[in-house]
Amino acid sequence: MQKEVLLEVKNLVTEFKSDGEFVKAVNDVSFTLHKGETIGIVGESGSGKSVTSLSIMQLIPNPPGRVFGGEMLYHSKDKGVVNLRNLPAEEMRSFRGNEIAMIFQEPMTSLNPVYTCGNQVMEAILLHQKVSKKEAKKKTLKLFEQVQLPDPERIFSVYPHQISGGQKQRVMIAMAMSCNPRVLIADEPTTALDVTVQKTILDLMLQLQREHDMGIMFITHDLGVIAELADKVMVMYKGKVVEQGPVLEIFSNPQHPYTKSLLACRPPLDKRLMRLPVSADFMSTDAEGNMLEIPTTVSEAINSVIITKEQREAEHKELYSRSKILEIQNIKTYFSKNKTFFGKTIDYVKAVDDVTLDVYEGETLGLVGESGCGKTTLGRTILRLNEPTEGKIFFQRNDLLRLKPDDMRQLRKDMQIIFQDPYSSLNPRITIGEALMEPMQVHNILSNNNQRREKVYELLNKVGLTEKQFGRYPHEFSGGQRQRVCIARALALNPKFIICDESVSALDVSVQAQVLNLLNDLKREFKFTYIFISHDLSVVKFMSDRMVVMNKGKIEEMGDADEIYLNPQSQYTKNLINSIPKGQLTDIKASIEKKKMSFDIA
C-alpha cells in the first residue's frame, strides 16, 4: 500500500544570473516524497542537489537567483496542499524549521558565532512550540545527548568556534530535529562526522523517521550511506535528473554512465588503487556539448588501476630510505578547561597527549580518528597555529619551537595547510584571484603582480578551474570548487610539506575522487609530503603510505595503511572499520529488510 504523499516537486526550474544571462542550476526536476520514505540525492558538486533543497525551503537569494518554473506542493496536516513556490515569506516561516526542517552542509557558516550552541537550538524550539525556557533547555540538552555530543551541559554554554567541526554538525542536527518535522532535508549531514558517530546519527534519523513517519531528502556524496539509508535514489547531473529508481535497482544495475562513474569513484576497501576512476572514464562530450558514453563497466574501471602488493612493497622500500622531513617528539597540547576565580587553571583538555612520530620526504601519512581525537589539533600544532604545551618539532632539522617569529614566518611558505571548511577559510570580500595572489605578495614570490596573475592562471588550470573565474567571489562557487581554490592557494608558494585537514570531507564522491587524484598527481609532480587528516578511513587508506589512528589525544596504533585495515590490533580501530558503510548489495538487501521490519513493528 502506497504511503501518504508529503512533498511533490514538479518540473522545478531554478536559475541564477551570471555574466548578464540566466543559467539553469536546476532544470525540470520532478520527484515525490512519501511518509516514512527516504530519497537519496547524489551528484557531483554543482549538479543542483543543494539548489533543489534550497528552492524548496525558499532560501534562494534573489538576486541573483530565482525559482523560475514548476511547483513544490507540500501536503500540510493542517492547511492541505500548499504550493511553497507561491507562499508569502511570512507564511513560509511558519513551515520552515517547524514542519520542514533542514540540516545545512557547512555548520560553521550556518551557526551564529555570537550565540551559544544551546541558545541557538532553544531559539528554534521557543519559536515554534509553546513551551517555557526551562522546558526548552531541558529538551535541548536531551537532543544533545541523542546526537552524542560529549558533555551536553558544556556544549550548551559554548560558542560554535569552541567546538570541533563534527560537534558543530551534531548541533545542527539537534536543531533540525528539535520540532519533530514531517519533512527533513539533510544536505550532507554526516560529512563532518567520523564513521562511528555517523552510524549513530543515521540510526537516530531512522528511529525518528519511524516514530514520526517523517519523510527525508538525504543529499550526500557517500553512496555507502545512501545504500544503507535510502529507499530510492535520484542521480543529478548538470541540473537534471539522469536516473531515478529504487536503491537496490540503481546499485545493482545502473543504466546511466554518470551513475556508473559515481559507483566506481568510491575508494574501495579491499583493493589498493593507483588512482580512483572518475566520470571521464565513463563519459565524454562532443564539440556541441552532447554527452557521449564510453562503454566501461564499474569493475573494468577499478581493475585497470590496481596496485599489486609487490609494487607497493618496492615503492615503500625506496620511500623509507629517504630522509625524514618532520620529526615530532613527545608533543603535548593542552587547553585550559576550568579555572579558579583568580584565573589559575585547575583542569585541562589534553587534545594531544604525548605524540611521537616521523614523516619521510614524499610520504603521505594519514591521521584518522573520531571527532575530538586530537588529529586536527596535532596538525595545527605542527604548524604552530596552536602552541604546544611540551615537546619538540623538527622540520628539515629546524627546531620550530625555538624559531623567532620572523624566521618562522619565512619557513611557513614551505609548510602549508588546506583547511576543513573551504568557505570559512576564504575571505568573502576578495576575489579568488586576489586570494591566490596574496600569499605570493606577502612572501615576495615573483617580481610583479602581472607575473603573479599569470601564475594564478596556471594554478587555476592545474586544479581544474579556469582563468575566467579569477574575478569571482567565494560565494559564487560550489563546495568542491572552493576546495580546489584552497588547494591552489596552498600551492602558490611551492611548499614542500602540506597538511590536508579534512580537505575532501565536504565533497561529493565524484569530485572527491578528482581532488584525491589531483593531490596524488601534484605529489608526484612537485614531490610534496602530506599529512592527510580525515575521519573517513577508506579515504585515508587510499591516500596513505602509513596510517596513524588517534584516540583521546594519543596514538592508538600506527603502521602500513593496508595492514592496519586488514589486521587492526586495537578494539577502537576495529570499531572504526566496522562502522564504515560498505555499500555492498548484501548490505543494501539487509538494510531494506531491517527498515521494513522496524516500520512493521512500529
Side-chain angles (χ1 to χ4, degrees):
M1 181 180 170
Q2 185 72 282
K3 285 209 168 191
E4 179 188 334
V5 173
L6 287 176
L7 181 68
E8 292 177 274
V9 176
K10 297 181 178 180
N11 310 110
L12 176 65
V13 178
T14 303
E15 301 179 330
F16 287 88
K17 195 170 187 178
S18 178
D19 298 327
E21 59 183 37
F22 281 98
V23 178
K24 287 184 172 65
V26 173
N27 190 2
D28 197 27
V29 166
S30 300
F31 63 90
T32 303
L33 179 68
H34 298 87
K35 269 190 174 184
E37 182 179 60
T38 301
I39 179 167
I41 304 178
V42 294
E44 67 186 353
S45 184
S47 66
K49 315 185 296 294
S50 295
V51 175
T52 299
S53 64
L54 292 171
S55 300
I56 292 167
M57 295 290 285
Q58 273 202 29
L59 292 174
I60 297 294
N62 184 8
R66 62 178 184 177
V67 177
F68 185 65
E71 295 178 307
M72 298 173 290
L73 305 177
Y74 172 62
H75 294 243
S76 172
K77 187 182 290 186
D78 302 322
K79 300 180 180 179
V81 180
V82 179
N83 188 351
L84 300 178
R85 184 188 167 197
N86 301 327
L87 218 55
E90 188 66 35
E91 196 173 344
M92 184 65 200
R93 274 195 284 273
S94 67
F95 288 100
R96 192 190 296 128
N98 186 23
E99 292 193 49
I100 308 173
M102 185 166 179
I103 304 167
F104 293 94
Q105 183 173 355
E106 293 172 337
M108 188 62 203
T109 53
S110 303
L111 291 169
N112 192 324
V114 300
Y115 287 98
T116 64
C117 296
N119 280 332
Q120 294 188 60
V121 178
M122 273 183 63
E123 182 184 28
I125 296 170
L126 292 168
L127 184 65
H128 294 292
Q129 298 180 35
K130 294 178 181 179
V131 296
S132 67
K133 283 189 175 182
K134 186 178 179 180
E135 289 172 321
K137 181 176 181 179
K138 187 178 177 181
K139 184 167 185 178
T140 299
L141 290 171
K142 186 179 179 182
L143 285 163
F144 282 178
E145 285 176 13
Q146 283 184 310
V147 297
Q148 285 205 344
L149 277 165
D151 196 353
E153 288 279 359
R154 184 184 71 85
I155 299 291
F156 185 93
S157 303
V158 301
Y159 294 88
H161 72 274
Q162 295 176 292
I163 56 178
S164 71
Q167 290 168 342
K168 282 192 277 280
Q169 190 64 288
R170 279 178 267 178
V171 171
M172 285 294 300
I173 292 168
M175 191 186 301
M177 299 293 195
S178 63
C179 296
N180 299 323
R182 298 181 75 222
V183 173
L184 176 66
I185 301 173
D187 188 0
E188 303 279 7
T190 59
T191 51
L193 305 181
D194 53 80
V195 288
T196 51
V197 177
Q198 174 179 268
K199 191 174 189 308
T200 304
I201 292 297
L202 295 178
D203 288 344
L204 171 64
M205 290 176 71
L206 185 63
Q207 177 192 330
L208 291 169
Q209 184 180 46
R210 184 173 64 247
E211 289 174 1
H212 303 285
D213 235 5
M214 181 172 63
I216 300 176
M217 280 175 57
F218 198 95
I219 300 168
T220 182
H221 66 266
D222 192 334
L223 283 157
V225 171
I226 286 284
E228 296 186 16
L229 184 74
D231 299 294
K232 59 186 181 186
V233 180
M234 185 169 83
V235 183
M236 293 189 69
Y237 179 65
K238 293 187 176 179
K240 293 187 175 183
V241 177
V242 295
E243 191 162 1
Q244 188 171 180
V247 61
L248 186 59
E249 183 181 310
I250 296 292
F251 273 74
S252 61
N253 188 28
Q255 297 300 304
H256 197 276
Y258 181 64
T259 310
K260 294 176 185 177
S261 75
L262 291 181
L263 292 169
C265 286
R266 294 178 296 158
L269 288 162
D270 57 343
K271 300 178 179 70
R272 166 66 60 171
L273 303 188
M274 185 182 301
R275 59 178 289 277
L276 291 170
V278 294
S279 302
D281 297 321
F282 296 85
M283 51 194 274
S284 63
T285 53
D286 59 21
E288 285 76 38
N290 299 313
M291 191 205 75
L292 302 173
E293 181 175 355
I294 299 171
T296 307
T297 65
V298 173
S299 58
E300 285 172 348
I302 291 174
N303 291 333
S304 65
V305 287
I306 290 176
I307 296 176
T308 65
K309 187 177 180 182
E310 292 73 23
Q311 286 173 308
R312 183 167 168 78
E313 287 174 351
E315 288 175 3
H316 279 193
K317 186 176 180 181
E318 191 275 328
L319 172 62
Y320 294 114
S321 66
R322 299 176 191 170
S323 302
K324 296 172 184 176
I325 192 171
L326 185 71
E327 297 172 77
I328 300 167
Q329 299 173 3
N330 306 108
I331 280 294
K332 298 179 181 179
T333 305
Y334 296 171
F335 298 107
S336 175
K337 186 177 180 181
N338 293 316
K339 292 184 178 182
T340 65
F341 177 78
F342 297 102
K344 183 181 178 181
T345 300
I346 56 174
D347 194 11
Y348 293 93
V349 174
K350 297 181 179 181
V352 178
D353 194 11
D354 198 20
V355 167
T356 297
L357 56 88
D358 300 323
V359 185
Y360 290 79
E361 288 182 2
E363 180 182 22
T364 299
L365 181 76
L367 282 183
V368 68
E370 293 178 297
S371 177
C373 72
K375 54 189 189 295
T376 293
T377 302
L378 177 59
R380 293 176 63 87
T381 301
I382 291 168
L383 298 179
R384 286 186 63 184
L385 298 176
N386 290 127
E387 290 294 338
T389 308
E390 287 182 28
K392 294 182 178 180
I393 304 170
F394 295 92
F395 176 71
Q396 293 186 322
R397 300 186 179 177
N398 292 291
D399 189 342
L400 297 187
L401 304 185
R402 290 178 177 268
L403 288 180
K404 294 177 181 177
D406 287 344
D407 295 330
M408 186 65 203
R409 196 173 295 113
Q410 284 300 312
L411 198 60
R412 283 193 192 281
K413 70 177 186 294
D414 292 329
M415 307 170 68
Q416 290 293 300
I417 183 169
I418 303 168
F419 291 100
Q420 178 176 357
D421 186 345
Y423 193 75
S424 62
S425 62
L426 290 169
N427 188 332
R429 296 185 177 186
I430 65 173
T431 66
I432 61 109
E434 293 171 312
L436 267 59
M437 285 175 63
E438 186 178 43
M440 290 189 275
Q441 292 165 339
V442 169
H443 288 280
N444 295 316
I445 305 294
L446 302 177
S447 303
N448 55 58
N449 281 344
N450 286 335
Q451 290 181 359
R452 293 178 189 122
R453 182 182 287 264
E454 290 301 318
K455 177 68 174 177
V456 170
Y457 290 158
E458 181 187 326
L459 289 169
L460 289 173
N461 289 324
K462 185 75 71 178
V463 299
L465 299 172
T466 66
E467 297 174 13
K468 292 180 180 178
Q469 293 166 313
F470 180 97
R472 293 185 184 176
Y473 290 85
H475 72 272
E476 297 180 87
F477 292 88
S478 67
Q481 290 170 326
R482 282 195 287 266
Q483 196 59 282
R484 288 168 183 265
V485 171
C486 292
I487 291 170
R489 184 175 60 182
L491 299 179
L493 299 176
N494 300 317
K496 297 172 183 174
F497 170 66
I498 299 176
I499 293 177
C500 303
D501 184 10
E502 299 278 11
S503 55
V504 296
S505 65
L507 306 183
D508 59 77
V509 69
S510 60
V511 178
Q512 175 180 276
Q514 294 167 21
V515 171
L516 293 176
N517 288 340
L518 170 65
L519 288 170
N520 278 333
D521 290 344
L522 293 169
K523 175 185 171 181
R524 284 188 285 268
E525 183 177 349
F526 297 105
K527 304 191 187 312
F528 291 143
T529 303
Y530 291 132
I531 285 184
F532 195 91
I533 300 170
S534 179
H535 63 267
D536 190 333
L537 196 142
S538 60
V539 169
V540 171
K541 178 182 173 293
F542 166 72
M543 288 294 291
S544 304
D545 298 294
R546 282 186 302 151
M547 187 191 298
V548 175
V549 181
M550 290 191 68
N551 181 23
K552 296 179 181 177
K554 294 181 179 290
I555 293 178
E556 190 77 21
E557 61 181 296
M558 175 168 55
D560 180 86
D562 289 357
E563 285 300 316
I564 285 181
Y565 175 72
L566 294 171
N567 188 27
Q569 298 301 302
S570 76
Q571 187 58 48
Y572 177 78
T573 309
K574 290 175 184 175
N575 292 341
L576 282 182
I577 292 169
N578 291 335
S579 298
I580 300 170
K582 310 296 190 299
Q584 303 296 327
L585 293 181
T586 50
D587 298 325
I588 298 172
K589 290 174 183 175
S591 178
I592 291 171
E593 192 58 34
K594 179 183 175 183
K595 190 170 183 180
K596 184 176 180 296
M597 288 175 62
S598 67
F599 274 95
D600 287 344
I601 292 168

